[in-house]
Structure formats: structure tokens, C-alpha cells
Amino acid sequence: MRTLKLSVKDLLSAGKPGEEVSIKGWVRTKRGNKQINFVALNDGSTINNIQIVVDVPNFNEEDVNKITTGAAIHVKGELVESKGEQNIELAAKEIEILGECNPETYPIQPKKHTLEFLRENAHLRFRTSTFGAIFRVRNAMSFAVHKYFNENGFNYLHTPLITGSDAEGAGEMFRVSTLDPINPPMTEEGKVDYKQDFFGKATNLTVSGQLEGELGAMALGKIYTFGPTFRAENSNTTRHLAEFWMIEPEMAFYDIVDNMDLAEDFMKYVIKYALDNCMEDLKFLSKRLTEEEKTKKADERSMELIEKLKFVLEEDFARITYTEAYEILRNSKPNKKKKFKYLIEEWGVDMQSEHERFLVEKHFKKPVIITDYPKEIKSFYMKQNADGKTVAAMDVLFPGIGEIIGGSQREENLEKLLTRMSEIGIPAEEMDWYLDTRRYGSAEHSGFGLGFERLILFITGMGNIRDVIPFPRTPNNAEF
Amino acid sequence: MRTLKLSVKDLLSAGKPGEEVSIKGWVRTKRGNKQINFVALNDGSTINNIQIVVDVPNFNEEDVNKITTGAAIHVKGELVESKGEQNIELAAKEIEILGECNPETYPIQPKKHTLEFLRENAHLRFRTSTFGAIFRVRNAMSFAVHKYFNENGFNYLHTPLITGSDAEGAGEMFRVSTLDPINPPMTEEGKVDYKQDFFGKATNLTVSGQLEGELGAMALGKIYTFGPTFRAENSNTTRHLAEFWMIEPEMAFYDIVDNMDLAEDFMKYVIKYALDNCMEDLKFLSKRLTEEEKTKKADERSMELIEKLKFVLEEDFARITYTEAYEILRNSKPNKKKKFKYLIEEWGVDMQSEHERFLVEKHFKKPVIITDYPKEIKSFYMKQNADGKTVAAMDVLFPGIGEIIGGSQREENLEKLLTRMSEIGIPAEEMDWYLDTRRYGSAEHSGFGLGFERLILFITGMGNIRDVIPFPRTPNNAEF
């Protein structure tokens, strides 16, 4: 019933010489002379442009002059064989200017712009080849995530963004309120009277859907979340966003080994999906990365992008305990030569990015899963190991990224969980709903969280997390 | 590499008599006598239970006593033919109690609970057949949405939730802040100094990703959003949530007719997906609905659920203008007999739910798309028609639901858009980024928004929107 609209991608992949077609898109570049013009036209469907051949004397001069970078045009004509980059090009018969684009003021010029400049023009950066590629890859990766979980019997669970619970303590939170910001109602004790707020209590933006995810898993069996999460942390780094997308699968009847198997299988699946479905964009991004890396010293350059993705597919992830990792690091050259910024001395310290990258990039030379972390540096809900010192946590570390996944088997024993909560001061009464899963039909279960933007950084080879989300939210920045 | 875990769904669909299997799940019911027990076991993978046959004298009595509704158990045994509802059942050889469930205190008893009661126990309601079915259908519908757009060349765009723009004016917003709630920093003019807030400006939770979506579409061609949106409206109805999921496709080079074609094609695709993939859950939900409707008068009952879904698939949606709808309503029996609560007299008034339902359920008896609404009752960004009075808006109305989709062709002409914004007092300088799409390579484009929960209401036949989202957020309620 729908009229089929052909895209540039359709024309380039399936167009045949001699066909009469109609196409709309934006001009990337125009070159040529008074007789003939070659216009590269793109409509966002692919990294590639279709070349429009304009026999200038056949057209209104004013129209031809309006074919400038960024202009939207409608071209009708005949597909003809091409000797250029693509097999096919379009000999124009009619050209309509849909929307002009003043070359004097258009911010996106047909030249190289810095990523910083494009970040400030995030509303227009989708029109560049680099960001077109990044956001098509991001789209493909989103679909791969849904496809994987769908094929494996998981239920996508939309856990709430606004939360009245602040018990998880995974970080600073944003307050959500409709109270008068200048004169909020106050209690007799001199506190803000959140009973009068929209939800009748103080509410924040969630830092994780995990606790609600556990409720789903303990009934539906296997669930995953894929939605925005928030951190009100004042960290202006290339790795942190105040608003980012997280994927959190949670599985009843999975122990920590099942959890590791799932994480590895999942990561390989989505990487393979990128290789199978995004090769043209990946090739472009690979070239971009290689160009960028030329400014680095040879030994600081990362592996070529596509080679790196294939490499991860082919290797089994190394699996070691925290204690094993600790020993490797303590005895490592950079530790002995005091090259680490944070020297590894006592068992129990958290690992820094430099340690994670040493393990992955220098020692094992492949992704690493570290398990059984000291309980003091991990969350209250993680399953306590028999040694009394460690918990069944797992972090998956990736080359160039460091921690990409964090997860654990969850503590299913009510008494142990209550004891741990009381040790670190989490009031049980506020978490009654969560504890009910351990009261009624408790069972071993596990899950993990994957920062989606970190995955996109890995797949695209981009270096700054602000370049892989459409409109980044960071301290002092909520533009567009 | 992963060890295959069989689900109840796997066993029921592919298990063969004689196979030795192992299964974990939660007890739904137990019946029988001192010799033999029949345990209905469910793991969330399907609406159906596998029957476990327990030869009581072969087991520890204490263990058998712990097999109560809600308990998590692990059963090993042999699949045998069954004469019950399913073709196969499991003759238990070993039973392990994973997690007990005290029948005295467990809120979910093996009896009918009211939806209200289950709403208060939303953390456990996933364990009931009704809510298991609803959330499996919701999962399938989420996947259908992604699959449809993926197959049709759309890019999933993650537009931001936290927004510094309040220009759209689609409703009351939630403020997002990290300032001291009691003593916020103030400007000399006596206002809150949001320059000192986390983002350096006042921020809110978004009511729509459309404006950012347009930026994506005007570069990537076709995009869609699918994420949470927020309304801080104090409406305690069966139709409204403060936090809900919305789907918003936006397409460059689409006019209003393309937009209608897409909306109709999309709705039929996802409904067909439900019929093809969720039949067992739909049958259960249909029975539930029929039961519920027995309390209604015969002429107030809705069509049987599956019949209704098929009906929508088979019919072309009616397409009429607002003016045509106005004439039909003005001359309708309920208007003449003053049965409408809001009588239709003057052209230009907004339609109420009673009018929409009359058109869909009584007059056309199928879904209706109304276009070309008076510009005064629609948003500033909608394309102005040549008549000077109407805009190229479209609302899709569904039986039992009313408006399920709202959309429009967008005004692509910069001057017309600026004039309209100035008429209704939207400051152009705050929307400069949005206006750039009309300055540089503007073109006709269109889009629409679909409230995901309304779709789920339609597919599941549930009557209250709080029953189709895992943890509803409504005035005075942000539990779990």
C-alpha cells in the first residue's frame, strides 16, 4: 500500500542503467565547469553519495547556482553506468531546489572540521560523513542488542527512570521535582516537605534499572533493560556523561559462570553484527582513525579498527580472579619500576584504568573477565563468596576502553543480604519490595550492566564519548 | 560455548517423552494426595506451566511440604506423555528446594486477585498469569517496533531526556536540578541562579524527542525515537502516566500522505506481529477480558480481543479532514439529541474522547485518520495549509482508545515558521538550532508520535494504563 521511496542506498545497490528514477537528498559537493557539473548527493541512508551529472546548458543557471553544499534538491533522471567510485550515476533531466543553503553562513563547509567544532554544532553534525557513519553504527548496534536478547528468550523490561529509592548508592543523583524552587513547602523540622511534591516523596533520576530488573527476572526468568540512566557527577572527561544509555540483562537461575558465558557470547554477537551489517561505515571510520593516529607515536597507536573487531571475535576472553590479577599487577614491570600512577601494593584496592589496560593490552592481549573482587569495593547486592572476603562480581575489560561490563551473581540469601545491608547502613525497610524476591521463592540469579556508549566507542574507534551520543549531557552542557 | 538452559517453553514445545531434563521455576499450584502430587511449574518463558508429577513416597516429606505456591524449585526427571492440557509432563526423580515461600505471608495466593491489589504489589505481579502475559506482549511489541523501523531503513536516534529547552510547550514539565533545595543560589533579581546548576541552565525532563528527531531526519533521512517521556500533569486517570514510553518516527521528504501511509502500515505490522508471535498470551488475555466484560451491558462490551486485532488488520483506515469530521459530528444523533457532554457547535473546537469514539466505533466502525485541523488547536511546527486556517496535522483514532497517534507534516518554510512562533510567543533565539534545519537545506518532512502504552492497552485489552507498564509513575506514586 505504501508508495516506495527509493533511497541513495537503494539506487547504489540495486539501480540498473537505463532506469528512470527520482531522488531527494542534500548536496555534499559540486565540481565541474560551465558545461558539466558533478554533484555528490547524500540522503543519510549510506556513507556513499550518488553522483548526479548535470549537463549545465540544459538547466536554468539560477537553479544550478543554488546547488551548493548543504542544499536539499530533488533530481529526476536516468541511471547510467559510472566509472567513478560507484557503479552507477544519475544523469539529471529535472532538478528542483527544495531548500537552499547559503555557502557564506552554512557552518558545515566541504572541508575537514574539528570534532570540537562539530560538537558545538551537534544539530548539524549528522550531515558529515563521520557522524552519519557513527549514528548508523549506533542504530545497528541498538538493533543487534534487541535482536540478541529476543532470540535468546529475554523480555525487554522498561524499568522506571524516576525513582523514589536512593538506596543503591551508585553515585550522585539528579533531583526531580515540581515544587516551587524558591519557596518550597517546609516541614516543622526545617526540611523540604516532599510529601507535597508531585510524587508525594523525594524523587531522583535513576542510576540503574537493576533492582527493578531483578523483580522482573524473578518472575519472567530472563529480562533486559535498555534505557537512559543518569549520574550527577561533575566529571568532565572523555568517558563520562550525565545521561547515557545502559543495557542491563538479569537472569534467574544463572550463576556467575553462566553470567560470564552470556556476557562473552553477547559481546561477540553484537561485534559480529557490526562486521556483517556496517562494513562500509566501519571502513570509513577505520580510515578516519588511522589518519588520527598518525599523530601518535608508533607504539601508542591502536590496532586497525576492523582488525581489532575481528580479533575480539576470535579470542576466548581471559578469565581470572581479582586475586590473580592483583598478583600479575604487583609483579608487573610497570609496578616494579613505579611507572603506574597508582602502585599495586596491598590486596583489596580497586583497580585503576591503567591497571585494567595493562592486563588487557600488555599482559593478556585480549579481553579479560576479572571475578571475585574484594567485597568492600563492590555493591551490597553481590553474592558473598565462601571465603568471607570476596563477592561473585565480574568486570569485563576491553582493549582501549577498560571496563565495558560490570556484573555479578546476586546474593539470594535473605539473611546474608540483610547483614551486609546493615553493615553498610542501607535501611532494610526502604528496600522491602526488593527483599521480597529473597523472601518468596528466592533462587540464584545474575546480571550485568553495559554502558552502551562505551560499546559504540569500541566499535567506531572514536575517542570521546560525546561524539557517540546525539546530544551529550555533561556538566554545564545541555544544549539542543 | 554457552551451556544451553532449557526453559518451560522449550520443554513444552520440543520436549520428547523419554528425555532426561532439568528445569528450574516457580510453583504455581500443587494438588494431589499422599501418594501423588501434581505441581504446575512456571519460569516466565510462557503462559503455560509444565506439570511435575511427584511420586510422594519417593521423596523427603519435608521437601514435598515446601513445594508451595511461589517457591522456587529445581526438578530433574524424565519427560512423559501427558493427557492434561499439555502434551508432555515431567516425572520427577530429584527435587531441590531453591527458595521457600511461606504460604501464610506470600501476597500472591493461588486465587484471583484484583488488579488494584496487584498494582500495590507491582514487584510481585509479574508472577501472575495475567501480568506475565502482558509483559511478554509488551516485550514482543517493543521488538516489533524496532524490527519494523530497521527493515524500513530508519535509524534509531536516542534523543536526550534532560532538556534545556522548554519551547515546545506540550505540557507541564519536571524540573531536574542538583542545587540545594532549601537555599538555592539566587540572582540579584531574586530568581534562582540556574547558571550555578549542574548544566549551567534550568533543565527539565523532556515531553517529546521530536524537535531533536527532526535534526536527525534532516541529515540521516529517516529516524525514530523510542524512549521515556514525561508529563508533570496532575491527572489521575486510567489513560495518563507521568512517565511513559513514546515512539516518534521523523522522515525527510515525506508529506502528510506519506506520513498517513506510514502510520497505517506501521500499526498493521505491529498488530500482525502480535498475532503471529503472542497467540497463547493473547488467548489468555482474551479470556480475561471476556470475563471482565460480563459485568457490562451487552451493548457496552467491546469486540473479542483477537477478533478486534484481526479486524484492524483487514480494514483500510478511514481518512477524513477535521472539517468533514466536524460535519459528521454536528449532524450526528448524539449531538442533535444533546447526548454528547461537549456539543459540537462551532468549527474550530478540539475533539473530545466522546467524539473520537463516536467516529471510530459508531460511524466508521474502523480506525480513522483525521487531518487538517484548525491551526489554533495544534502546535507551532505543523505545516500551514493554503487555506490559512488549518495545518497538515493528523490524528489516528482507534476503537476503545481514541487518539493513539498524533503527527503532522512539519512547516519547512522559515518565514512561515518564524511568523507562527512570533504569533504565539515562542522566542526564536532559543530555537536557533531548530530553525537551522529550515535555513540550510530545508525540505518537506513529517513525523508522528505513538504512546507505546496506549498501543499495549489496545493489544492486551487491558483498561488501565497502570497495568501495562512495569512500575507506573503517577501523582503521589513512585513506588519501587
Side-chain angles (χ1 to χ4, degrees):
Chain A
M1 194 190 116
R2 290 174 51 210
T3 49
L4 193 64
K5 285 173 181 283
L6 292 176
S7 65
V8 170
K9 190 180 178 185
D10 296 329
L11 294 188
L12 293 178
S13 63
K16 299 270 179 298
E19 286 176 341
E20 295 279 331
V21 299
S22 158
I23 188 83
K24 294 177 183 179
W26 293 274
V27 175
R28 283 290 168 88
T29 56
K30 183 175 79 169
R31 58 189 176 81
N33 52 38
K34 284 183 180 170
Q35 288 302 316
I36 193 157
N37 276 188
F38 299 99
V39 178
L41 194 73
N42 190 285
D43 66 356
S45 61
T46 160
I47 188 91
N48 299 311
N49 306 317
I50 186 154
Q51 178 156 286
I52 312 291
V53 185
V54 184
D55 195 8
V56 178
N58 289 343
F59 293 87
N60 178 319
E61 194 187 335
E62 213 179 307
D63 277 354
V64 175
N65 289 339
K66 287 179 183 165
I67 303 177
T68 58
T69 296
I73 64 173
H74 180 192
V75 184
K76 292 181 185 175
E78 185 184 330
L79 291 180
V80 292
E81 245 179 274
S82 171
K83 284 162 193 159
E85 249 180 278
Q86 305 298 327
N87 296 325
I88 210 117
E89 59 191 29
L90 177 57
K93 291 183 176 170
E94 289 174 49
I95 298 178
E96 181 192 359
I97 309 294
L98 301 172
E100 299 177 41
C101 191
N102 185 343
E104 305 296 319
T105 57
Y106 187 44
I108 310 295
Q109 296 291 320
K111 62 158 196 170
K112 202 171 156 52
H113 292 288
T114 65
L115 295 174
E116 290 74 18
F117 174 82
L118 292 171
R119 230 168 274 147
E120 284 160 20
N121 289 277
H123 63 308
L124 296 172
R125 65 179 177 172
F126 303 110
R127 301 183 177 196
T128 66
S129 295
T130 298
F131 286 92
I134 291 168
F135 289 107
R136 277 188 300 271
V137 169
R138 187 177 167 116
N139 166 64
M141 289 298 88
S142 299
F143 189 68
V145 168
H146 289 298
K147 192 162 186 286
Y148 178 83
F149 287 121
N150 186 63
E151 287 172 1
N152 286 280
F154 285 70
N155 284 290
Y156 183 26
L157 194 75
H158 289 131
T159 50
L161 282 275
I162 296 174
T163 173
S165 135
D166 60 354
E168 214 214 338
E172 296 284 314
M173 295 170 101
F174 290 103
R175 190 173 63 252
V176 173
S177 177
T178 58
L179 291 179
D180 182 334
I182 300 184
N183 292 307
M186 304 291 285
T187 63
E188 283 180 11
E189 295 81 39
K191 293 183 173 171
V192 174
D193 185 8
Y194 286 111
K195 284 206 176 113
Q196 297 187 47
D197 207 346
F198 188 91
F199 295 108
K201 59 177 359 186
T203 50
N204 295 292
L205 289 176
T206 190
V207 294
S208 160
Q210 179 201 314
L211 301 189
E212 290 89 355
E214 286 187 51
L215 305 176
M218 294 304 282
L220 298 167
K222 292 190 278 187
I223 65 93
Y224 70 108
T225 72
F226 185 1
T229 45
F230 304 87
R231 295 278 189 290
E233 274 157 29
N234 204 352
S235 21
N236 248 314
T237 78
T238 59
R239 298 289 190 82
H240 293 88
L241 292 167
E243 174 180 328
F244 57 99
W245 284 65
M246 192 133 83
I247 295 153
E248 295 181 289
E250 190 74 32
M251 301 75 64
F253 313 124
Y254 270 52
D255 64 19
I256 185 73
V257 177
D258 299 323
N259 204 17
M260 286 192 272
D261 289 348
L262 180 78
E264 183 166 347
D265 191 57
F266 168 75
M267 289 302 289
K268 288 180 172 175
Y269 180 94
V270 297
I271 292 168
K272 181 165 189 309
Y273 189 91
L275 289 168
D276 289 346
N277 293 276
C278 307
M279 193 45 93
E280 289 188 327
D281 286 324
L282 291 178
K283 278 182 185 161
F284 180 89
L285 291 167
S286 167
K287 263 189 232 161
R288 193 210 67 85
L289 181 62
T290 306
E291 199 62 36
E292 189 183 79
E293 298 245 305
K294 279 184 185 158
T295 60
K296 293 187 184 172
K297 289 185 217 153
D299 67 338
E300 283 174 6
R301 288 178 201 158
S302 59
M303 213 185 269
E304 186 276 325
L305 183 62
I306 294 166
E307 195 187 330
K308 182 187 78 178
L309 298 179
K310 287 185 176 163
F311 176 77
V312 169
L313 275 194
E314 285 154 11
E315 294 287 325
D316 283 346
F317 295 4
R319 299 184 179 194
I320 56 170
T321 64
Y322 168 90
T323 304
E324 287 163 348
Y326 161 77
E327 292 294 347
I328 293 168
L329 289 167
R330 197 167 58 95
N331 296 315
S332 69
K333 260 195 198 165
N335 202 54
K336 290 188 168 168
K337 294 195 169 174
K338 301 192 192 300
K339 289 280 167 74
F340 282 145
K341 193 174 161 202
Y342 298 90
L343 292 181
I344 297 288
E345 288 161 351
E346 304 227 4
W347 186 95
V349 293
D350 207 354
M351 282 174 206
Q352 303 296 323
S353 183
E354 57 179 345
H355 308 131
E356 295 174 347
R357 296 191 62 169
F358 173 83
L359 290 168
V360 171
E361 293 161 29
K362 306 288 178 193
H363 189 85
F364 286 102
K365 295 191 173 65
K366 60 182 180 176
V368 176
I369 309 182
I370 303 183
T371 56
D372 303 299
Y373 282 82
K375 68 178 180 184
E376 277 73 20
I377 58 173
K378 289 290 181 183
S379 303
F380 74 93
Y381 49 71
M382 296 190 178
K383 186 177 171 70
Q384 296 157 38
N385 288 331
D387 62 15
K389 296 194 311 187
T390 62
V391 288
M394 66 171 208
D395 280 2
V396 181
L397 314 180
F398 256 47
I401 304 287
E403 184 197 324
I404 196 164
I405 280 179
S408 75
Q409 185 168 343
R410 317 307 186 187
E411 180 54 73
E412 83 261 27
N413 182 291
L414 181 64
E415 295 311 317
K416 286 187 187 170
L417 189 57
L418 282 171
T419 304
R420 186 73 190 135
M421 284 169 71
S422 133
E423 277 170 20
I424 57 180
I426 298 176
E429 55 281 11
E430 281 182 24
M431 300 286 287
D432 224 40
W433 51 274
Y434 179 70
L435 296 169
D436 270 359
T437 52
R438 276 68 172 177
R439 284 191 188 104
Y440 304 118
S442 188
E444 76 271 20
H445 62 291
S446 298
F448 62 80
L450 165 74
F452 185 57
E453 283 74 21
R454 293 206 175 170
L455 173 66
I456 305 304
L457 283 176
F458 182 73
I459 306 266
T460 59
M462 298 300 292
N464 190 322
I465 201 162
R466 298 166 198 214
D467 294 332
V468 299
I469 191 165
F471 301 101
R473 267 63 181 119
T474 52
N476 283 309
N477 177 35
E479 296 307 309
F480 312 109
Chain B
M1 190 187 123
R2 292 175 48 210
T3 49
L4 194 63
K5 285 174 182 284
L6 291 176
S7 66
V8 169
K9 189 180 180 186
D10 296 329
L11 295 187
L12 293 178
S13 64
K16 300 270 176 299
E19 285 177 341
E20 296 278 332
V21 299
S22 159
I23 189 82
K24 294 176 182 179
W26 293 275
V27 174
R28 282 289 168 90
T29 56
K30 183 175 79 170
R31 60 191 175 80
N33 52 39
K34 285 184 178 167
Q35 288 302 314
I36 194 156
N37 275 188
F38 299 99
V39 178
L41 195 72
N42 189 285
D43 66 356
S45 61
T46 159
I47 188 90
N48 299 311
N49 306 317
I50 186 155
Q51 177 155 286
I52 312 290
V53 185
V54 184
D55 195 9
V56 178
N58 288 343
F59 293 86
N60 178 320
E61 193 186 333
E62 212 179 308
D63 277 354
V64 175
N65 290 338
K66 287 180 184 166
I67 303 177
T68 59
T69 296
I73 66 173
H74 180 191
V75 183
K76 292 181 186 175
E78 186 183 327
L79 291 180
V80 293
E81 246 180 274
S82 171
K83 284 163 195 160
E85 246 179 279
Q86 306 297 326
N87 296 325
I88 211 116
E89 58 191 31
L90 177 58
K93 291 182 176 170
E94 288 175 49
I95 297 179
E96 180 191 1
I97 309 295
L98 301 172
E100 299 177 41
C101 190
N102 185 341
E104 304 296 319
T105 58
Y106 186 45
I108 310 295
Q109 296 291 321
K111 62 157 195 172
K112 201 170 156 53
H113 292 289
T114 65
L115 294 173
E116 291 72 19
F117 173 83
L118 292 172
R119 230 168 275 149
E120 284 160 20
N121 289 276
H123 63 307
L124 296 172
R125 66 179 176 170
F126 303 109
R127 300 183 177 195
T128 66
S129 295
T130 299
F131 286 91
I134 291 168
F135 289 107
R136 277 187 301 270
V137 169
R138 186 176 167 116
N139 166 64
M141 287 299 89
S142 299
F143 189 68
V145 169
H146 288 298
K147 192 162 184 287
Y148 178 82
F149 287 120
N150 186 63
E151 286 172 1
N152 287 280
F154 285 69
N155 283 290
Y156 183 26
L157 195 74
H158 289 129
T159 50
L161 282 275
I162 296 174
T163 174
S165 136
D166 60 356
E168 214 214 338
E172 295 284 312
M173 296 170 98
F174 290 104
R175 189 172 64 252
V176 173
S177 176
T178 57
L179 291 179
D180 182 334
I182 300 183
N183 292 306
M186 303 292 283
T187 64
E188 283 179 11
E189 295 82 40
K191 294 184 172 169
V192 173
D193 186 8
Y194 286 112
K195 285 208 175 109
Q196 296 186 48
D197 207 346
F198 188 91
F199 294 107
K201 59 177 2 185
T203 51
N204 296 292
L205 289 177
T206 189
V207 294
S208 160
Q210 179 202 314
L211 301 189
E212 291 87 357
E214 286 188 51
L215 305 177
M218 293 304 283
L220 298 167
K222 292 189 278 187
I223 66 93
Y224 70 108
T225 73
F226 185 0
T229 45
F230 305 87
R231 294 279 189 289
E233 274 158 29
N234 204 353
S235 20
N236 248 315
T237 78
T238 58
R239 298 289 190 81
H240 293 89
L241 292 168
E243 175 181 329
F244 57 100
W245 284 65
M246 192 134 82
I247 295 152
E248 295 182 288
E250 190 74 31
M251 301 75 65
F253 313 124
Y254 270 52
D255 64 18
I256 185 74
V257 177
D258 299 323
N259 203 16
M260 285 192 273
D261 289 347
L262 180 78
E264 183 166 346
D265 190 58
F266 168 75
M267 290 302 288
K268 288 179 171 174
Y269 179 95
V270 298
I271 291 168
K272 180 164 191 308
Y273 189 92
L275 290 169
D276 289 347
N277 292 275
C278 307
M279 194 45 93
E280 290 189 326
D281 287 323
L282 291 179
K283 279 183 185 161
F284 180 88
L285 291 167
S286 167
K287 264 189 232 160
R288 192 209 69 83
L289 181 62
T290 306
E291 199 62 38
E292 189 184 79
E293 298 246 305
K294 280 184 185 156
T295 60
K296 293 187 184 172
K297 290 184 218 152
D299 67 336
E300 283 174 6
R301 288 178 201 158
S302 59
M303 212 185 270
E304 185 275 326
L305 183 62
I306 294 165
E307 196 187 329
K308 182 186 78 177
L309 298 179
K310 287 184 177 162
F311 176 77
V312 169
L313 275 193
E314 286 155 11
E315 292 289 324
D316 283 347
F317 295 5
R319 298 183 181 195
I320 56 169
T321 64
Y322 168 89
T323 304
E324 289 163 349
Y326 161 77
E327 292 294 346
I328 293 169
L329 290 167
R330 197 167 58 95
N331 297 316
S332 70
K333 261 194 198 163
N335 201 56
K336 291 188 168 167
K337 295 197 169 173
K338 300 192 192 299
K339 289 280 167 71
F340 281 145
K341 192 172 163 205
Y342 298 89
L343 293 181
I344 296 289
E345 288 161 354
E346 304 229 4
W347 187 94
V349 293
D350 207 354
M351 283 175 204
Q352 304 295 324
S353 183
E354 57 179 345
H355 309 132
E356 295 174 347
R357 296 191 62 168
F358 173 82
L359 290 169
V360 171
E361 292 161 30
K362 306 287 176 194
H363 189 84
F364 286 102
K365 295 192 173 65
K366 59 182 179 177
V368 176
I369 309 182
I370 303 183
T371 57
D372 304 299
Y373 281 83
K375 68 178 180 183
E376 277 73 22
I377 59 173
K378 290 289 182 183
S379 302
F380 74 93
Y381 49 72
M382 295 188 178
K383 186 178 172 70
Q384 297 157 38
N385 288 331
D387 63 13
K389 296 194 313 184
T390 62
V391 289
M394 64 171 210
D395 280 2
V396 182
L397 314 180
F398 257 47
I401 304 289
E403 184 198 326
I404 196 164
I405 280 179
S408 75
Q409 185 168 343
R410 316 308 188 187
E411 181 54 75
E412 84 261 26
N413 182 290
L414 181 65
E415 295 313 316
K416 287 188 186 169
L417 189 56
L418 283 170
T419 304
R420 186 73 189 137
M421 284 169 71
S422 137
E423 277 172 20
I424 56 179
I426 298 176
E429 54 282 11
E430 280 182 25
M431 301 286 286
D432 224 41
W433 51 274
Y434 179 69
L435 295 169
D436 270 0
T437 52
R438 276 67 171 177
R439 284 191 187 104
Y440 304 118
S442 189
E444 77 271 23
H445 62 291
S446 298
F448 62 80
L450 165 73
F452 185 58
E453 282 75 20
R454 294 207 175 167
L455 173 66
I456 306 303
L457 283 176
F458 182 74
I459 305 265
T460 60
M462 298 300 292
N464 190 321
I465 201 163
R466 298 166 198 216
D467 293 332
V468 298
I469 191 166
F471 301 100
R473 266 65 183 118
T474 53
N476 283 310
N477 177 35
E479 295 308 307
F480 314 108

